[in-house]
Amino acid sequence: MRVSKMVSSALVAGLLIAVIPSSMIAAQGASGPVTFKGEGQIGAVFMDPYGVAPLTAVIKSAGYTLTDASVTVKGKGEKGLPISYKVGDTKILQHGGIPVFGLYPDFVNTVEVSYKKHNPGKDGKIDDVKETYKIYAPPVITYGSGTRQTSALPTAVVVKPADKSVKDKLYLMDHLSGVLPNSSQVVWNNPSGGALEWDNSSYVWIIDTNGDIRWYLNVDKFRDPKDLRKKGNMMGFDQTKDGSLVWGMSQSYMKYDLLGREIFNRELPANYVDFSHHMEETEKGTYLLRVASADFKRKDGKNIRTVRDVIVEVDKDGNVMDEWNINTILDPYRDNNLLAMDQGAVCLNIDASQAGHTKSKEEMEGPNSPFGDVTGVGPGRNWAHVNSVNYDATDDSIILSVRNQSATVKIGRDKKVKWIIASPEGWNKELASKLLTPIDAKGNKIDCGPTGSKCPGYENPKGGFDWTWTQHTSYKINEKSKPGKVHVSVFDNGDSRGMEQPAMMSMKYSRAVEYVVDEKNMTVQQVWEFGKERGFEWYSPITSVVEYQPKTDSMMVYSAVAGLGDVKKFRKGEQELTPFLHEFKYGTTDSLLEMKFINGNHTIGYRALSVDLQSAFK
């Protein structure tokens, strides 16, 4: 009798379990042999799978083996641009499904996918599947100023529609905030110096050539102004050979893929502080970081932290391989260019009260001159302001943009200077021997006047050869260079041009420029320029980038803070920043694309970066 009751109870329990939905069981225990229900033939759509890239998703595999996948996110409306890419089989395994990139924010996106679905079982049937998903992505949410702001991110306006040769390109935009209440609250001590206070919120997003936002980074997941390791500007974005992104922010540097998966996120090696501006992967698989010294012994016996003047090379595991301490390679007491600079805008240190003013020798070199992120000479002050480092594999050297010296400098592994593109004023005897002589297309020497600072391009309204002044992004163009003949692209910001300030602020201008360096004969020839004809409207006193694009044989140019020439008006809210993004057919000023950005006074443009999807997902 007891046995029959027990059997009856077991049967009833079994029947109850059979009719209870699996979702109810999952709430109390294991779900059993089920997975989340998919919208199509495979698994569920998982939005923002890694929590930092809200306009991405993964269509889960639901346990099937998937191969040969392709994705197209259809364009928005009649003029919207589709984003299409193939997905490597290992990427499907990495993400547990098919990665979706390029969703429009606050919009129901149409996403077409195709793939081979390998069915389990002895027959091993493989289905060729094509299906369409409707995926809503949320609006862009960023930390903002709340004032002088009409949108979460600057709005891109197409001035010249994209030529078909560049129409499918994507651009990562990196902007930084003006001064917000959660910025710049901490400085270094024991020893003092450094640039820890250089700490602002960042805005990082990707646009297509229509200017539509197709991706953004949730920077709040990275920056915490109350945490020393998580302070700082997010800068130096670069795409590595495997399609991932690397960048740094103050005391750390990191690598993530485009879906937001962390590959590494590391503190700087203990000997260094204050990453900013630039990080890149070399052909050897190492990384170059622009940092500063955490503890440097000056010749007068003082210990200080230095400012933007050290390059460190680390391997893929974060081990230090080498360093270039520019304090010991160049002359940190050369003051000619520093004395000529407008102190209203020294990179992102924008001070309207100093607009139009230069510094005196006493202010920069006096015994009471402070250490830290201030314009001045000697280790512990912002004498160099290195804003880019570019590796040259042909002779294992680096090319630097040394902004506050208005110099592009090549330095070998032996820490010896190979050549310098700069005005000859003020260099010591040893470094003066490394200065390049300017020549024209026929090889004739160009006369830059008694001081060497006022070249024909400076004096002639139509342009011509000139040095670069307070420049950014001195990059070797590998595809155009030959042994001994190095092509270099530079964004010539233009402050201190001619080693002076002009009679009127409106006379300032910026340029994108390309040089050819003859390393044997120690000459430099200017072969291309753009910008002088655009005048003050296009002038960017700080930041910006020029970079050759090998896949489209074009020059990408971003004048990142056009409109900031009048700093006083900008700080009063009377001046609109209108950065300009361009593509030019190589060797010409034929425009393949022009965009400008509006509604962005709550941000300061830093750089743009062309992003390749196939390397990221294939």
Side-chain angles (χ1 to χ4, degrees), residues 105 140 142 148-159 173 175 203 205-213 558 560 562 576-581 594-603:
V140 175
T142 63
R148 300 186 188 178
Q149 181 177 353
T150 57
S151 59
L153 293 169
T155 303
V157 177
V158 176
V159 177
M173 314 304 298
H175 281 210
Y203 303 85
W205 73 104
I206 290 176
I207 58 171
D208 60 24
T209 55
N210 275 355
D212 290 323
I213 297 169
Y558 188 42
E576 176 85 7
L577 293 191
T578 54
F580 290 92
L581 178 67
E594 180 176 341
M595 279 192 276
K596 69 177 180 179
F597 294 81
I598 61 174
N599 303 327
N601 269 21
H602 61 296
T603 75

Side-chain angles (χ1 to χ4, degrees), residues 416-421 423-424 426-437 519-523:
K416 301 296 184 182
V417 173
K418 291 179 177 287
W419 48 254
I420 302 171
I421 303 175
S423 161
W427 298 93
N428 64 34
K429 183 177 180 181
E430 179 183 359
L431 294 173
S433 68
K434 306 298 182 181
L435 291 165
L436 297 176
T437 299
E519 296 187 307
K520 179 180 179 181
N521 295 313
M522 293 294 284
T523 61

Side-chain angles (χ1 to χ4, degrees), residues 90-148:
T90 57
K91 295 295 184 182
I92 296 174
L93 296 174
Q94 180 71 63
H95 299 295
I98 299 173
V100 178
F101 173 96
L103 300 171
Y104 290 96
D106 197 21
F107 184 71
V108 179
N109 294 264
T110 300
V111 181
E112 297 177 347
V113 296
S114 64
Y115 55 90
K116 293 183 183 299
K117 184 175 73 170
H118 299 248
N119 292 282
K122 293 182 180 180
D123 59 1
K125 182 184 177 184
I126 300 175
D127 296 328
D128 287 311
V129 180
K130 293 183 178 180
E131 52 185 358
T132 299
Y133 289 78
K134 296 291 186 178
I135 302 177
Y136 173 78
V140 175
I141 298 175
T142 63
Y143 181 83
S145 65
T147 59
R148 300 186 188 178

Side-chain angles (χ1 to χ4, degrees), residues 188-192 294 305:
W188 286 118
N189 198 17
N190 292 321
S192 62
R305 299 176 195 265

